[in-house]
């Protein structure tokens, strides 16, 4: 893994002269955030050595380098998922690369199903914790101390100062936000009604198929993480029959302008 990461980092550094401070992973239906970046360089995943290629609709598959205000940013326009057939090391490989390109602050976004009865479709949730129920752990196997410690402290997976800052910005922008716990499952099936009930019973507020592995790996390398989730469906008796990928994309796209505005201001002012 170490050699592959360094090979990829060397390739990117030889292609561009750019050291990003922020990394952004854009989830389903949120790829339009790329328009808020003053892009200086674009690298297709297929052109980057050791990079997987995204296979999911709504995930374009490019690494964008540019600025937001005075801040240098690298954005993943499309992420990788365990359910696509990649192993967890492949899913999280771009986070490793970001770290060695210079990124210290990672912003992850996703679309998720809500189980908290106080949520509604279109709500923006600031993730304050997560529950990992993925079937494979991204740090399983021999640990390489050059990346981080064998046992990672996960008491603060999502940076509390960042969450507080985002809440203040949202208030200034008159954007309503909730906060809550995100639970990660493998997918690709949407949850059954019984599974949605399980998610709620174990203490989560929303559920999705991403984010958790990337945050674990980021924390392994002592990166600061901020997570934002858009509630695109509700896992209850009244709504479960309506859940499909097109509905998820449409729901995410409706609230995308607010999410983009919030993340843009967050990066520019933090």
């Amino acid at each position: 893994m170490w050699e592959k990461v360094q090979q990829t980092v060397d390739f990117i550094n030889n292609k561009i002269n750019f050291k990003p401070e922020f990394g952004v992973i854009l989830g389903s239906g949120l790829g339009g955030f790329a328009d808020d970046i003053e892009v200086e360089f674009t690298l297709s995943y297929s052109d980057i050595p050791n990079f997987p290629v995204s296979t999911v609709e709504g995930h374009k598959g490019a690494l964008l380098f540019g600025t937001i205000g005075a801040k240098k940013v690298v954005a993943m326009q499309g992420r990788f998922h365990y359910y696509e057939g990649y192993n967890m090391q492949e899913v999280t490989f771009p986070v490793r690369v970001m770290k060695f390109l210079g990124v210290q602050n990672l912003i992850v976004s996703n679309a998720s199903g809500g189980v908290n009865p106080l949520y509604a479709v279109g709500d923006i949730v600031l993730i304050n914790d997560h529950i990992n129920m993925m079937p494979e752990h991204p740090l399983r196997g021999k640990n390489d101390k050059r990346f981080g410690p064998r046992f990672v402290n996960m008491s603060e997976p999502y940076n509390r100062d960042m969450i507080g800052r985002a809440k203040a910005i949202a208030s200034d922008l008159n954007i309503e936000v909730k906060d809550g716990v995100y639970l990660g499952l493998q997918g690709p099936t949407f949850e059954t009604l019984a599974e949605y009930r399980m998610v709620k019973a174990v203490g989560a507020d929303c559920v999705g198929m991403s984010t958790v592995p990337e945050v674990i790996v980021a924390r392994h390398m002592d990166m600061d993480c901020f997570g934002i989730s858009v509630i695109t469906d509700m896992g209850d008796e009244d709504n479960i029959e309506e859940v499909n990928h097109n509905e998820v994309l449409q729901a995410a796209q409706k609230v995308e302008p607010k999410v983009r505005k919030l993340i843009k201001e967050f990066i520019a002012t933090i």
Side-chain angles (χ1 to χ4, degrees):
M1 175 64 73
W2 178 266
E3 285 73 20
K4 286 184 176 180
V5 169
Q6 302 311 316
Q7 180 188 19
T8 303
V9 170
D10 287 345
F11 171 85
I12 293 172
N13 283 334
N14 287 331
K15 283 278 186 182
I16 63 175
N17 180 24
F18 194 92
K19 186 175 180 180
E21 306 164 65
F22 285 83
V24 184
I25 301 176
L26 302 174
S28 297
L30 299 173
F33 179 74
D35 294 336
D36 295 324
I37 302 171
E38 292 185 31
V39 177
E40 296 182 23
F41 305 99
T42 301
L43 295 177
S44 173
Y45 292 163
S46 59
D47 295 331
I48 303 173
N50 305 314
F51 246 64
V53 177
S54 184
T55 65
V56 182
E57 183 182 352
H59 293 256
K60 290 187 177 181
L63 209 54
L64 308 179
F65 297 83
T67 57
I68 293 178
K71 305 296 172 58
K72 291 186 175 182
V73 176
V74 55
M76 288 181 65
Q77 201 172 21
R79 59 149 51 93
F80 311 114
H81 306 80
Y82 184 69
Y83 65 72
E84 294 178 76
Y86 298 117
N87 63 42
M88 283 299 188
Q89 285 70 38
E90 291 170 321
V91 167
T92 58
F93 183 80
V95 179
R96 300 279 190 204
V97 171
M98 284 183 181
K99 171 66 176 182
F100 287 92
L101 286 173
V103 170
Q104 178 56 35
N105 305 292
L106 181 68
I107 298 172
V108 290
S109 66
N110 63 56
S112 68
V115 297
N116 186 325
L118 300 179
Y119 289 177
V121 172
D123 276 353
I124 299 170
V125 176
L126 308 182
I127 304 173
N128 57 27
D129 207 343
H130 70 227
I131 299 171
N132 182 20
M133 293 187 69
M134 299 277 189
E136 181 187 344
H137 198 284
L139 302 184
R140 186 176 70 88
K142 185 178 179 180
N143 184 61
D144 189 331
K145 292 182 179 179
R146 291 173 291 185
F147 287 123
R150 168 78 284 182
F151 301 106
V152 183
N153 187 312
M154 294 297 290
S155 62
E156 192 178 337
Y158 303 88
N159 186 279
R160 295 189 187 106
D161 289 339
M162 286 183 168
I163 293 170
R165 178 63 183 153
K167 286 182 177 179
I169 292 170
S171 177
D172 291 342
L173 296 175
N174 292 316
I175 296 174
E176 183 181 358
V177 294
K178 308 285 178 65
D179 55 17
V181 176
Y182 176 91
L183 186 144
L185 289 175
Q186 172 182 312
T189 50
F190 290 110
E191 290 69 34
T192 67
L193 185 55
E195 288 167 341
Y196 278 124
R197 288 173 180 152
M198 175 199 71
V199 170
K200 184 178 179 181
V202 300
D205 299 291
C206 55
V207 58
M209 309 169 194
S210 66
T211 300
V212 171
E214 294 125 316
V215 169
I216 290 173
V217 166
R219 293 302 301 140
H220 184 229
M221 299 183 295
D222 200 30
M223 298 167 73
D224 295 314
C225 300
F226 173 73
I228 191 165
S229 186
V230 174
I231 303 301
T232 53
D233 60 272
M234 291 299 296
D236 55 37
E237 291 88 343
D238 296 330
N239 296 281
I240 191 168
E241 291 182 8
E242 302 299 322
V243 180
N244 61 67
H245 190 58
N246 285 334
E247 292 284 339
V248 166
L249 290 177
Q250 290 172 18
Q253 286 163 357
K254 284 181 181 178
V255 74
E256 184 187 51
K258 291 182 180 179
V259 176
R260 286 170 55 178
K261 192 174 183 180
L262 179 57
I263 296 177
K264 182 178 179 180
E265 189 67 17
F266 177 82
I267 292 174
T269 60
I270 196 168

